[in-house]
Short mmCIF file of all heavy atoms in Angstrom, two decimals:
data_model
loop_
_atom_site.label_atom_id
_atom_site.label_comp_id
_atom_site.label_asym_id
_atom_site.label_seq_id
_atom_site.Cartn_x
_atom_site.Cartn_y
_atom_site.Cartn_z
N MET A 1 2.92 10.74 -44.18
CA MET A 1 1.89 9.81 -43.75
C MET A 1 2.51 8.42 -43.63
O MET A 1 3.26 7.98 -44.47
CB MET A 1 0.74 9.81 -44.75
CG MET A 1 -0.44 9.01 -44.31
SD MET A 1 -1.84 9.49 -45.35
CE MET A 1 -2.93 8.21 -45.00
N SER A 2 2.17 7.74 -42.57
CA SER A 2 2.65 6.39 -42.31
C SER A 2 1.97 5.40 -43.24
O SER A 2 0.84 5.62 -43.68
CB SER A 2 2.33 6.05 -40.84
OG SER A 2 2.36 4.68 -40.62
N PRO A 3 2.64 4.27 -43.53
CA PRO A 3 1.98 3.26 -44.37
C PRO A 3 0.76 2.65 -43.67
O PRO A 3 -0.06 2.00 -44.30
CB PRO A 3 3.07 2.21 -44.61
CG PRO A 3 4.12 2.45 -43.60
CD PRO A 3 4.00 3.89 -43.19
N HIS A 4 0.64 2.88 -42.41
CA HIS A 4 -0.50 2.34 -41.64
C HIS A 4 -1.59 3.38 -41.44
O HIS A 4 -2.51 3.17 -40.66
CB HIS A 4 -0.02 1.84 -40.28
CG HIS A 4 1.07 0.82 -40.37
ND1 HIS A 4 0.86 -0.45 -40.80
CD2 HIS A 4 2.39 0.91 -40.09
CE1 HIS A 4 1.99 -1.12 -40.78
NE2 HIS A 4 2.94 -0.31 -40.37
N GLY A 5 -1.49 4.47 -42.09
CA GLY A 5 -2.49 5.53 -41.95
C GLY A 5 -1.90 6.72 -41.22
O GLY A 5 -0.72 6.74 -40.87
N PRO A 6 -2.70 7.73 -40.98
CA PRO A 6 -2.19 8.94 -40.32
C PRO A 6 -1.80 8.64 -38.87
O PRO A 6 -2.40 7.80 -38.20
CB PRO A 6 -3.36 9.91 -40.38
CG PRO A 6 -4.57 9.08 -40.62
CD PRO A 6 -4.11 7.83 -41.31
N ALA A 7 -0.76 9.29 -38.44
CA ALA A 7 -0.31 9.14 -37.05
C ALA A 7 -1.06 10.14 -36.17
O ALA A 7 -1.27 11.29 -36.55
CB ALA A 7 1.19 9.39 -36.96
N PHE A 8 -1.48 9.69 -35.03
CA PHE A 8 -2.16 10.55 -34.08
C PHE A 8 -1.31 10.65 -32.83
O PHE A 8 -0.86 9.66 -32.29
CB PHE A 8 -3.54 9.99 -33.71
CG PHE A 8 -4.50 9.99 -34.85
CD1 PHE A 8 -4.70 8.84 -35.60
CD2 PHE A 8 -5.20 11.13 -35.19
CE1 PHE A 8 -5.58 8.82 -36.66
CE2 PHE A 8 -6.09 11.13 -36.25
CZ PHE A 8 -6.28 9.98 -36.99
N HIS A 9 -1.08 11.86 -32.39
CA HIS A 9 -0.32 12.09 -31.18
C HIS A 9 -1.24 12.81 -30.20
O HIS A 9 -1.90 13.78 -30.56
CB HIS A 9 0.91 12.97 -31.47
CG HIS A 9 1.86 12.32 -32.43
ND1 HIS A 9 2.75 11.36 -32.03
CD2 HIS A 9 2.03 12.47 -33.76
CE1 HIS A 9 3.44 10.95 -33.08
NE2 HIS A 9 3.01 11.61 -34.14
N PHE A 10 -1.28 12.29 -29.02
CA PHE A 10 -2.09 12.96 -28.00
C PHE A 10 -1.43 12.79 -26.65
O PHE A 10 -0.61 11.91 -26.45
CB PHE A 10 -3.53 12.43 -27.99
CG PHE A 10 -3.62 10.98 -27.60
CD1 PHE A 10 -3.84 10.61 -26.29
CD2 PHE A 10 -3.52 9.99 -28.57
CE1 PHE A 10 -3.93 9.28 -25.93
CE2 PHE A 10 -3.60 8.66 -28.22
CZ PHE A 10 -3.81 8.29 -26.90
N ALA A 11 -1.79 13.65 -25.74
CA ALA A 11 -1.30 13.59 -24.37
C ALA A 11 -2.50 13.56 -23.44
O ALA A 11 -3.54 14.17 -23.72
CB ALA A 11 -0.43 14.80 -24.07
N LEU A 12 -2.36 12.84 -22.37
CA LEU A 12 -3.43 12.72 -21.40
C LEU A 12 -2.90 13.13 -20.05
O LEU A 12 -1.95 12.53 -19.54
CB LEU A 12 -3.94 11.27 -21.38
CG LEU A 12 -5.13 10.95 -20.51
CD1 LEU A 12 -6.34 11.77 -20.94
CD2 LEU A 12 -5.45 9.47 -20.60
N ASP A 13 -3.48 14.14 -19.47
CA ASP A 13 -3.07 14.63 -18.16
C ASP A 13 -4.04 14.08 -17.12
O ASP A 13 -5.21 14.45 -17.10
CB ASP A 13 -3.06 16.16 -18.14
CG ASP A 13 -2.67 16.72 -16.78
OD1 ASP A 13 -2.20 15.96 -15.92
OD2 ASP A 13 -2.83 17.94 -16.60
N LEU A 14 -3.52 13.20 -16.26
CA LEU A 14 -4.38 12.61 -15.24
C LEU A 14 -4.34 13.39 -13.93
O LEU A 14 -4.95 12.98 -12.95
CB LEU A 14 -3.96 11.15 -14.99
CG LEU A 14 -4.13 10.22 -16.19
CD1 LEU A 14 -3.60 8.84 -15.84
CD2 LEU A 14 -5.57 10.14 -16.62
N GLY A 15 -3.64 14.50 -13.91
CA GLY A 15 -3.51 15.28 -12.69
C GLY A 15 -4.84 15.71 -12.12
O GLY A 15 -5.09 15.56 -10.91
N ALA A 16 -5.73 16.23 -12.94
CA ALA A 16 -7.04 16.68 -12.45
C ALA A 16 -7.85 15.50 -11.94
O ALA A 16 -8.52 15.60 -10.91
CB ALA A 16 -7.79 17.41 -13.56
N HIS A 17 -7.78 14.38 -12.66
CA HIS A 17 -8.52 13.20 -12.22
C HIS A 17 -7.98 12.69 -10.89
O HIS A 17 -8.74 12.28 -10.02
CB HIS A 17 -8.44 12.08 -13.27
CG HIS A 17 -9.12 10.83 -12.84
ND1 HIS A 17 -10.50 10.72 -12.78
CD2 HIS A 17 -8.63 9.65 -12.41
CE1 HIS A 17 -10.81 9.52 -12.34
NE2 HIS A 17 -9.69 8.85 -12.11
N GLU A 18 -6.67 12.73 -10.71
CA GLU A 18 -6.07 12.28 -9.45
C GLU A 18 -6.53 13.16 -8.29
O GLU A 18 -6.84 12.66 -7.21
CB GLU A 18 -4.54 12.27 -9.56
CG GLU A 18 -3.83 11.88 -8.28
CD GLU A 18 -4.11 10.47 -7.79
OE1 GLU A 18 -4.69 9.66 -8.53
OE2 GLU A 18 -3.77 10.18 -6.63
N MET A 19 -6.59 14.44 -8.50
CA MET A 19 -7.07 15.34 -7.44
C MET A 19 -8.53 15.05 -7.10
O MET A 19 -8.91 15.06 -5.93
CB MET A 19 -6.87 16.80 -7.84
CG MET A 19 -5.42 17.21 -7.93
SD MET A 19 -4.47 16.87 -6.42
CE MET A 19 -5.32 17.87 -5.24
N LEU A 20 -9.34 14.76 -8.10
CA LEU A 20 -10.74 14.42 -7.86
C LEU A 20 -10.84 13.11 -7.08
O LEU A 20 -11.61 12.99 -6.14
CB LEU A 20 -11.49 14.32 -9.19
CG LEU A 20 -12.97 13.98 -9.10
CD1 LEU A 20 -13.73 15.04 -8.30
CD2 LEU A 20 -13.57 13.83 -10.49
N ARG A 21 -10.00 12.13 -7.45
CA ARG A 21 -9.99 10.84 -6.75
C ARG A 21 -9.61 11.04 -5.29
O ARG A 21 -10.26 10.51 -4.39
CB ARG A 21 -9.00 9.88 -7.42
CG ARG A 21 -9.02 8.47 -6.82
CD ARG A 21 -7.82 7.67 -7.24
NE ARG A 21 -6.58 8.18 -6.69
CZ ARG A 21 -6.15 7.93 -5.45
NH1 ARG A 21 -6.87 7.20 -4.62
NH2 ARG A 21 -5.01 8.42 -5.02
N ARG A 22 -8.59 11.83 -5.03
CA ARG A 22 -8.17 12.08 -3.65
C ARG A 22 -9.26 12.79 -2.86
O ARG A 22 -9.48 12.51 -1.68
CB ARG A 22 -6.90 12.93 -3.64
CG ARG A 22 -5.69 12.18 -4.09
CD ARG A 22 -4.46 13.05 -4.07
NE ARG A 22 -3.32 12.36 -4.61
CZ ARG A 22 -2.08 12.84 -4.56
NH1 ARG A 22 -1.85 14.00 -3.99
NH2 ARG A 22 -1.09 12.15 -5.09
N THR A 23 -9.96 13.71 -3.50
CA THR A 23 -11.06 14.41 -2.84
C THR A 23 -12.15 13.43 -2.43
O THR A 23 -12.66 13.47 -1.31
CB THR A 23 -11.64 15.50 -3.78
OG1 THR A 23 -10.61 16.44 -4.07
CG2 THR A 23 -12.83 16.19 -3.15
N HIS A 24 -12.48 12.50 -3.33
CA HIS A 24 -13.50 11.50 -3.01
C HIS A 24 -13.05 10.57 -1.89
O HIS A 24 -13.85 10.19 -1.03
CB HIS A 24 -13.88 10.69 -4.26
CG HIS A 24 -14.66 11.46 -5.26
ND1 HIS A 24 -15.88 12.03 -4.97
CD2 HIS A 24 -14.41 11.76 -6.55
CE1 HIS A 24 -16.35 12.65 -6.04
NE2 HIS A 24 -15.46 12.50 -7.02
N VAL A 25 -11.78 10.20 -1.88
CA VAL A 25 -11.26 9.34 -0.81
C VAL A 25 -11.38 10.05 0.53
O VAL A 25 -11.85 9.48 1.52
CB VAL A 25 -9.79 8.94 -1.08
CG1 VAL A 25 -9.15 8.32 0.15
CG2 VAL A 25 -9.71 7.97 -2.25
N MET A 26 -10.97 11.31 0.58
CA MET A 26 -11.04 12.06 1.84
C MET A 26 -12.49 12.24 2.29
O MET A 26 -12.78 12.16 3.48
CB MET A 26 -10.32 13.40 1.71
CG MET A 26 -8.82 13.27 1.48
SD MET A 26 -7.97 12.22 2.69
CE MET A 26 -8.16 13.17 4.17
N GLU A 27 -13.40 12.47 1.35
CA GLU A 27 -14.82 12.58 1.70
C GLU A 27 -15.33 11.26 2.26
O GLU A 27 -16.09 11.23 3.22
CB GLU A 27 -15.64 12.99 0.49
CG GLU A 27 -15.47 14.44 0.10
CD GLU A 27 -16.19 14.79 -1.20
OE1 GLU A 27 -16.76 13.88 -1.84
OE2 GLU A 27 -16.17 15.97 -1.57
N ALA A 28 -14.90 10.15 1.67
CA ALA A 28 -15.35 8.83 2.13
C ALA A 28 -14.81 8.52 3.53
O ALA A 28 -15.49 7.87 4.33
CB ALA A 28 -14.91 7.75 1.15
N LEU A 29 -13.61 8.98 3.82
CA LEU A 29 -13.03 8.74 5.15
C LEU A 29 -13.77 9.53 6.22
O LEU A 29 -13.87 9.09 7.36
CB LEU A 29 -11.54 9.11 5.15
CG LEU A 29 -10.64 8.17 4.36
CD1 LEU A 29 -9.24 8.76 4.26
CD2 LEU A 29 -10.61 6.79 4.98
N GLY A 30 -14.27 10.67 5.86
CA GLY A 30 -15.05 11.48 6.79
C GLY A 30 -14.19 12.37 7.66
O GLY A 30 -12.98 12.20 7.77
N PRO A 31 -14.82 13.32 8.34
CA PRO A 31 -14.08 14.30 9.14
C PRO A 31 -13.49 13.72 10.42
O PRO A 31 -12.61 14.32 11.01
CB PRO A 31 -15.14 15.36 9.45
CG PRO A 31 -16.43 14.63 9.40
CD PRO A 31 -16.26 13.57 8.34
N ASP A 32 -13.98 12.57 10.85
CA ASP A 32 -13.49 11.99 12.11
C ASP A 32 -12.32 11.04 11.91
O ASP A 32 -11.83 10.45 12.88
CB ASP A 32 -14.63 11.25 12.82
CG ASP A 32 -15.77 12.18 13.20
OD1 ASP A 32 -15.50 13.36 13.49
OD2 ASP A 32 -16.93 11.73 13.18
N TRP A 33 -11.86 10.86 10.67
CA TRP A 33 -10.76 9.94 10.41
C TRP A 33 -9.49 10.43 11.08
O TRP A 33 -9.11 11.59 10.96
CB TRP A 33 -10.55 9.80 8.90
CG TRP A 33 -9.43 8.87 8.55
CD1 TRP A 33 -9.36 7.54 8.83
CD2 TRP A 33 -8.22 9.20 7.87
NE1 TRP A 33 -8.19 7.02 8.34
CE2 TRP A 33 -7.47 8.02 7.75
CE3 TRP A 33 -7.71 10.37 7.33
CZ2 TRP A 33 -6.24 7.97 7.13
CZ3 TRP A 33 -6.48 10.33 6.71
CH2 TRP A 33 -5.76 9.15 6.61
N ASP A 34 -8.85 9.57 11.81
CA ASP A 34 -7.62 9.89 12.54
C ASP A 34 -6.50 9.01 11.99
O ASP A 34 -6.43 7.82 12.30
CB ASP A 34 -7.82 9.62 14.04
CG ASP A 34 -6.60 9.95 14.87
OD1 ASP A 34 -5.55 10.33 14.32
OD2 ASP A 34 -6.71 9.82 16.11
N PRO A 35 -5.62 9.57 11.14
CA PRO A 35 -4.58 8.76 10.53
C PRO A 35 -3.64 8.12 11.56
O PRO A 35 -3.18 7.00 11.37
CB PRO A 35 -3.82 9.71 9.61
CG PRO A 35 -4.34 11.07 9.88
CD PRO A 35 -5.58 10.95 10.68
N ALA A 36 -3.35 8.80 12.66
CA ALA A 36 -2.46 8.24 13.69
C ALA A 36 -3.13 7.02 14.33
O ALA A 36 -2.48 5.99 14.56
CB ALA A 36 -2.12 9.29 14.73
N ALA A 37 -4.42 7.12 14.61
CA ALA A 37 -5.14 5.99 15.19
C ALA A 37 -5.22 4.83 14.19
O ALA A 37 -5.10 3.67 14.58
CB ALA A 37 -6.54 6.42 15.62
N ALA A 38 -5.40 5.15 12.93
CA ALA A 38 -5.44 4.11 11.90
C ALA A 38 -4.11 3.38 11.83
O ALA A 38 -4.06 2.15 11.74
CB ALA A 38 -5.80 4.71 10.56
N LEU A 39 -3.01 4.12 11.91
CA LEU A 39 -1.68 3.51 11.88
C LEU A 39 -1.46 2.64 13.11
O LEU A 39 -0.94 1.52 13.01
CB LEU A 39 -0.61 4.58 11.78
CG LEU A 39 0.83 4.09 11.72
CD1 LEU A 39 1.04 3.14 10.55
CD2 LEU A 39 1.80 5.26 11.64
N ARG A 40 -1.87 3.13 14.27
CA ARG A 40 -1.74 2.31 15.49
C ARG A 40 -2.53 1.02 15.35
O ARG A 40 -2.07 -0.06 15.74
CB ARG A 40 -2.21 3.10 16.72
CG ARG A 40 -1.21 4.11 17.22
CD ARG A 40 -1.60 4.67 18.59
NE ARG A 40 -2.93 5.31 18.59
CZ ARG A 40 -3.16 6.56 18.23
NH1 ARG A 40 -2.18 7.33 17.82
NH2 ARG A 40 -4.38 7.06 18.28
N GLY A 41 -3.73 1.12 14.80
CA GLY A 41 -4.54 -0.08 14.59
C GLY A 41 -3.88 -1.07 13.65
O GLY A 41 -3.92 -2.28 13.87
N GLU A 42 -3.26 -0.55 12.59
CA GLU A 42 -2.54 -1.41 11.65
C GLU A 42 -1.37 -2.11 12.34
O GLU A 42 -1.13 -3.30 12.13
CB GLU A 42 -2.02 -0.60 10.46
CG GLU A 42 -3.10 -0.12 9.53
CD GLU A 42 -3.70 -1.25 8.71
OE1 GLU A 42 -2.99 -2.21 8.39
OE2 GLU A 42 -4.90 -1.15 8.38
N GLU A 43 -0.63 -1.37 13.17
CA GLU A 43 0.51 -1.95 13.89
C GLU A 43 0.04 -3.01 14.88
O GLU A 43 0.68 -4.06 15.02
CB GLU A 43 1.30 -0.85 14.58
CG GLU A 43 2.04 0.05 13.61
CD GLU A 43 2.64 1.28 14.24
OE1 GLU A 43 2.30 1.59 15.41
OE2 GLU A 43 3.44 1.95 13.57
N GLU A 44 -1.07 -2.75 15.57
CA GLU A 44 -1.61 -3.73 16.51
C GLU A 44 -2.07 -4.99 15.78
O GLU A 44 -1.84 -6.11 16.24
CB GLU A 44 -2.77 -3.12 17.31
CG GLU A 44 -2.33 -2.04 18.28
CD GLU A 44 -3.51 -1.25 18.84
OE1 GLU A 44 -4.68 -1.59 18.56
OE2 GLU A 44 -3.24 -0.27 19.58
N ALA A 45 -2.71 -4.81 14.64
CA ALA A 45 -3.17 -5.96 13.86
C ALA A 45 -1.99 -6.78 13.35
O ALA A 45 -2.01 -8.01 13.38
CB ALA A 45 -4.03 -5.48 12.68
N ARG A 46 -0.93 -6.10 12.90
CA ARG A 46 0.26 -6.80 12.42
C ARG A 46 0.91 -7.59 13.56
O ARG A 46 1.30 -8.74 13.38
CB ARG A 46 1.26 -5.81 11.84
CG ARG A 46 2.50 -6.48 11.30
CD ARG A 46 3.55 -5.46 10.83
NE ARG A 46 4.66 -6.11 10.22
CZ ARG A 46 5.62 -6.76 10.88
NH1 ARG A 46 5.57 -6.84 12.18
NH2 ARG A 46 6.61 -7.33 10.24
N ALA A 47 1.02 -6.97 14.72
CA ALA A 47 1.61 -7.65 15.87
C ALA A 47 0.79 -8.89 16.23
O ALA A 47 1.35 -9.95 16.53
CB ALA A 47 1.71 -6.71 17.06
N LEU A 48 -0.52 -8.77 16.19
CA LEU A 48 -1.38 -9.91 16.51
C LEU A 48 -1.26 -11.00 15.45
O LEU A 48 -1.18 -12.19 15.78
CB LEU A 48 -2.83 -9.44 16.63
CG LEU A 48 -3.86 -10.48 17.05
CD1 LEU A 48 -3.51 -11.07 18.41
CD2 LEU A 48 -5.24 -9.85 17.10
N LEU A 49 -1.20 -10.60 14.20
CA LEU A 49 -1.10 -11.56 13.10
C LEU A 49 0.15 -12.42 13.21
O LEU A 49 0.11 -13.62 12.97
CB LEU A 49 -1.11 -10.81 11.76
CG LEU A 49 -0.96 -11.66 10.50
CD1 LEU A 49 -2.16 -12.61 10.35
CD2 LEU A 49 -0.83 -10.78 9.28
N TYR A 50 1.27 -11.80 13.59
CA TYR A 50 2.53 -12.53 13.63
C TYR A 50 2.92 -12.96 15.04
O TYR A 50 4.05 -13.38 15.26
CB TYR A 50 3.64 -11.69 12.98
CG TYR A 50 3.40 -11.48 11.51
CD1 TYR A 50 3.13 -10.23 10.98
CD2 TYR A 50 3.41 -12.57 10.64
CE1 TYR A 50 2.89 -10.05 9.63
CE2 TYR A 50 3.16 -12.40 9.28
CZ TYR A 50 2.91 -11.15 8.78
OH TYR A 50 2.66 -10.98 7.45
N SER A 51 2.01 -12.91 15.97
CA SER A 51 2.31 -13.38 17.33
C SER A 51 2.04 -14.88 17.41
O SER A 51 1.23 -15.42 16.65
CB SER A 51 1.46 -12.63 18.36
OG SER A 51 0.10 -12.98 18.22
N GLY A 52 2.72 -15.55 18.29
CA GLY A 52 2.45 -16.96 18.52
C GLY A 52 2.93 -17.89 17.41
O GLY A 52 2.44 -19.01 17.29
N LEU A 53 3.89 -17.45 16.60
CA LEU A 53 4.41 -18.32 15.55
C LEU A 53 5.28 -19.39 16.18
O LEU A 53 6.01 -19.14 17.14
CB LEU A 53 5.26 -17.51 14.55
CG LEU A 53 4.57 -16.37 13.81
CD1 LEU A 53 5.58 -15.68 12.88
CD2 LEU A 53 3.38 -16.86 13.02
N ASP A 54 5.22 -20.60 15.62
CA ASP A 54 6.13 -21.63 16.10
C ASP A 54 7.51 -21.36 15.51
O ASP A 54 7.70 -20.42 14.71
CB ASP A 54 5.62 -23.04 15.78
CG ASP A 54 5.54 -23.37 14.30
OD1 ASP A 54 6.33 -22.80 13.50
OD2 ASP A 54 4.70 -24.20 13.92
N ALA A 55 8.51 -22.15 15.88
CA ALA A 55 9.89 -21.88 15.47
C ALA A 55 10.05 -21.85 13.95
O ALA A 55 10.73 -20.98 13.40
CB ALA A 55 10.83 -22.90 16.09
N GLU A 56 9.43 -22.78 13.24
CA GLU A 56 9.55 -22.84 11.78
C GLU A 56 8.86 -21.64 11.13
O GLU A 56 9.39 -21.03 10.21
CB GLU A 56 8.96 -24.15 11.25
CG GLU A 56 9.00 -24.28 9.75
CD GLU A 56 10.40 -24.39 9.13
OE1 GLU A 56 11.39 -24.45 9.87
OE2 GLU A 56 10.49 -24.39 7.90
N GLN A 57 7.67 -21.31 11.62
CA GLN A 57 6.96 -20.14 11.08
C GLN A 57 7.77 -18.87 11.33
O GLN A 57 7.85 -17.99 10.46
CB GLN A 57 5.59 -20.03 11.72
CG GLN A 57 4.63 -21.12 11.32
CD GLN A 57 3.39 -21.14 12.18
OE1 GLN A 57 3.42 -20.75 13.35
NE2 GLN A 57 2.28 -21.60 11.61
N GLN A 58 8.37 -18.75 12.51
CA GLN A 58 9.18 -17.57 12.83
C GLN A 58 10.40 -17.49 11.92
O GLN A 58 10.77 -16.42 11.45
CB GLN A 58 9.62 -17.59 14.29
CG GLN A 58 10.31 -16.32 14.74
CD GLN A 58 9.38 -15.11 14.69
OE1 GLN A 58 8.30 -15.13 15.27
NE2 GLN A 58 9.79 -14.06 13.99
N ARG A 59 11.04 -18.63 11.64
CA ARG A 59 12.20 -18.66 10.76
C ARG A 59 11.81 -18.16 9.36
O ARG A 59 12.49 -17.32 8.78
CB ARG A 59 12.78 -20.07 10.67
CG ARG A 59 14.02 -20.16 9.80
CD ARG A 59 14.45 -21.61 9.55
NE ARG A 59 13.46 -22.35 8.77
CZ ARG A 59 13.28 -22.23 7.45
NH1 ARG A 59 13.99 -21.35 6.76
NH2 ARG A 59 12.38 -22.96 6.82
N ILE A 60 10.68 -18.67 8.86
CA ILE A 60 10.22 -18.26 7.53
C ILE A 60 9.86 -16.78 7.53
O ILE A 60 10.21 -16.03 6.61
CB ILE A 60 9.03 -19.13 7.08
CG1 ILE A 60 9.51 -20.56 6.84
CG2 ILE A 60 8.38 -18.55 5.83
CD1 ILE A 60 8.39 -21.57 6.65
N HIS A 61 9.18 -16.34 8.57
CA HIS A 61 8.83 -14.92 8.69
C HIS A 61 10.08 -14.06 8.68
O HIS A 61 10.16 -13.06 7.95
CB HIS A 61 8.03 -14.68 9.98
CG HIS A 61 7.72 -13.24 10.22
ND1 HIS A 61 8.53 -12.44 10.99
CD2 HIS A 61 6.72 -12.45 9.77
CE1 HIS A 61 8.04 -11.21 11.02
NE2 HIS A 61 6.94 -11.20 10.28
N ASP A 62 11.11 -14.45 9.46
CA ASP A 62 12.35 -13.67 9.52
C ASP A 62 13.04 -13.64 8.15
O ASP A 62 13.60 -12.61 7.76
CB ASP A 62 13.29 -14.24 10.58
CG ASP A 62 12.76 -14.04 11.99
OD1 ASP A 62 11.85 -13.20 12.18
OD2 ASP A 62 13.25 -14.74 12.89
N GLU A 63 13.00 -14.76 7.42
CA GLU A 63 13.59 -14.79 6.07
C GLU A 63 12.85 -13.83 5.14
O GLU A 63 13.47 -13.14 4.33
CB GLU A 63 13.54 -16.21 5.50
CG GLU A 63 14.55 -17.15 6.10
CD GLU A 63 14.49 -18.54 5.47
OE1 GLU A 63 13.81 -18.72 4.44
OE2 GLU A 63 15.14 -19.45 6.02
N LEU A 64 11.52 -13.81 5.24
CA LEU A 64 10.73 -12.92 4.38
C LEU A 64 10.99 -11.46 4.71
O LEU A 64 11.06 -10.61 3.82
CB LEU A 64 9.24 -13.25 4.50
CG LEU A 64 8.83 -14.61 3.93
CD1 LEU A 64 7.38 -14.92 4.29
CD2 LEU A 64 9.05 -14.65 2.43
N VAL A 65 11.16 -11.16 6.00
CA VAL A 65 11.49 -9.78 6.39
C VAL A 65 12.88 -9.42 5.87
O VAL A 65 13.07 -8.35 5.28
CB VAL A 65 11.41 -9.62 7.93
CG1 VAL A 65 11.99 -8.28 8.37
CG2 VAL A 65 9.96 -9.74 8.40
N ALA A 66 13.85 -10.32 6.05
CA ALA A 66 15.22 -10.05 5.59
C ALA A 66 15.28 -9.87 4.08
O ALA A 66 16.07 -9.07 3.57
CB ALA A 66 16.14 -11.17 6.03
N ALA A 67 14.43 -10.59 3.34
CA ALA A 67 14.40 -10.48 1.89
C ALA A 67 13.62 -9.27 1.40
O ALA A 67 13.59 -8.98 0.21
CB ALA A 67 13.81 -11.76 1.28
N GLY A 68 12.94 -8.57 2.31
CA GLY A 68 12.16 -7.39 1.93
C GLY A 68 10.77 -7.70 1.42
O GLY A 68 10.08 -6.84 0.91
N VAL A 69 10.35 -8.97 1.57
CA VAL A 69 9.00 -9.35 1.13
C VAL A 69 7.97 -8.84 2.12
O VAL A 69 6.91 -8.37 1.72
CB VAL A 69 8.91 -10.89 0.98
CG1 VAL A 69 7.50 -11.32 0.63
CG2 VAL A 69 9.90 -11.39 -0.07
N LEU A 70 8.28 -8.94 3.41
CA LEU A 70 7.43 -8.38 4.46
C LEU A 70 8.15 -7.21 5.10
O LEU A 70 9.39 -7.25 5.23
CB LEU A 70 7.15 -9.44 5.54
CG LEU A 70 6.27 -10.62 5.16
CD1 LEU A 70 6.20 -11.61 6.32
CD2 LEU A 70 4.88 -10.17 4.78
N PRO A 71 7.42 -6.20 5.53
CA PRO A 71 8.08 -5.08 6.20
C PRO A 71 8.53 -5.48 7.60
O PRO A 71 7.87 -6.28 8.27
CB PRO A 71 7.00 -4.01 6.26
CG PRO A 71 5.71 -4.77 6.22
CD PRO A 71 5.98 -5.99 5.40
N ALA A 72 9.66 -4.94 8.02
CA ALA A 72 10.12 -5.18 9.38
C ALA A 72 9.25 -4.40 10.35
O ALA A 72 8.77 -3.32 10.04
CB ALA A 72 11.58 -4.76 9.52
N GLY A 73 9.04 -4.97 11.50
CA GLY A 73 8.24 -4.31 12.51
C GLY A 73 8.90 -4.43 13.86
O GLY A 73 9.97 -5.03 13.99
N PRO A 74 8.29 -3.88 14.89
CA PRO A 74 8.86 -3.97 16.23
C PRO A 74 9.08 -5.43 16.60
O PRO A 74 8.24 -6.28 16.39
CB PRO A 74 7.78 -3.34 17.12
CG PRO A 74 6.95 -2.51 16.19
CD PRO A 74 7.02 -3.19 14.86
N GLY A 75 10.26 -5.72 17.11
CA GLY A 75 10.57 -7.07 17.53
C GLY A 75 11.17 -7.94 16.45
O GLY A 75 11.64 -9.04 16.73
N ASP A 76 11.17 -7.48 15.21
CA ASP A 76 11.78 -8.27 14.14
C ASP A 76 13.30 -8.09 14.20
O ASP A 76 13.79 -6.99 14.40
CB ASP A 76 11.27 -7.83 12.76
CG ASP A 76 9.85 -8.29 12.49
OD1 ASP A 76 9.44 -9.31 13.06
OD2 ASP A 76 9.14 -7.62 11.72
N ALA A 77 14.01 -9.18 13.96
CA ALA A 77 15.47 -9.12 13.99
C ALA A 77 16.01 -8.16 12.94
O ALA A 77 17.02 -7.51 13.12
CB ALA A 77 16.05 -10.52 13.79
N ALA A 78 15.29 -8.06 11.80
CA ALA A 78 15.75 -7.22 10.70
C ALA A 78 15.27 -5.77 10.82
O ALA A 78 15.53 -4.96 9.97
CB ALA A 78 15.29 -7.80 9.37
N ALA A 79 14.56 -5.46 11.89
CA ALA A 79 14.00 -4.10 12.04
C ALA A 79 15.07 -3.07 12.27
O ALA A 79 16.11 -3.29 12.75
CB ALA A 79 12.99 -4.06 13.18
#
């Protein structure tokens, strides 16, 4: 026995909970969810977000991409 009282050892398996969580996510997305279309939408949004940067903004963006802070995308020098 420990000086702090009895020791308790337990294990927690989150595998079943993770499967339930994934099931709920897929149900929430619905049967019409198109992952390829979602990815295209994300790429279009990213392109729009980083379009029209001035020279200083572009320099900072390129540094962040090179440092791995932002992901490289089409048209990035570090892509």
Side-chain angles (χ1 to χ4, degrees):
M1 187 164 165
S2 161
H4 304 288
F8 293 98
H9 298 280
F10 64 94
L12 185 60
D13 179 11
L14 296 176
H17 177 73
E18 177 63 13
M19 292 306 298
L20 180 60
R21 185 194 68 81
R22 289 180 185 188
T23 299
H24 289 300
V25 167
M26 295 308 293
E27 286 174 356
L29 289 171
D32 298 328
W33 180 63
D34 181 357
L39 180 58
R40 282 191 302 275
E42 289 288 328
E43 290 170 348
E44 291 168 5
R46 181 185 185 284
L48 184 59
L49 178 64
Y50 294 114
S51 68
L53 301 179
D54 65 29
E56 178 67 4
Q57 291 169 330
Q58 188 64 54
R59 182 189 65 76
I60 293 169
H61 176 267
D62 292 343
E63 285 181 11
L64 293 171
V65 170
V69 175
L70 291 176
D76 286 333

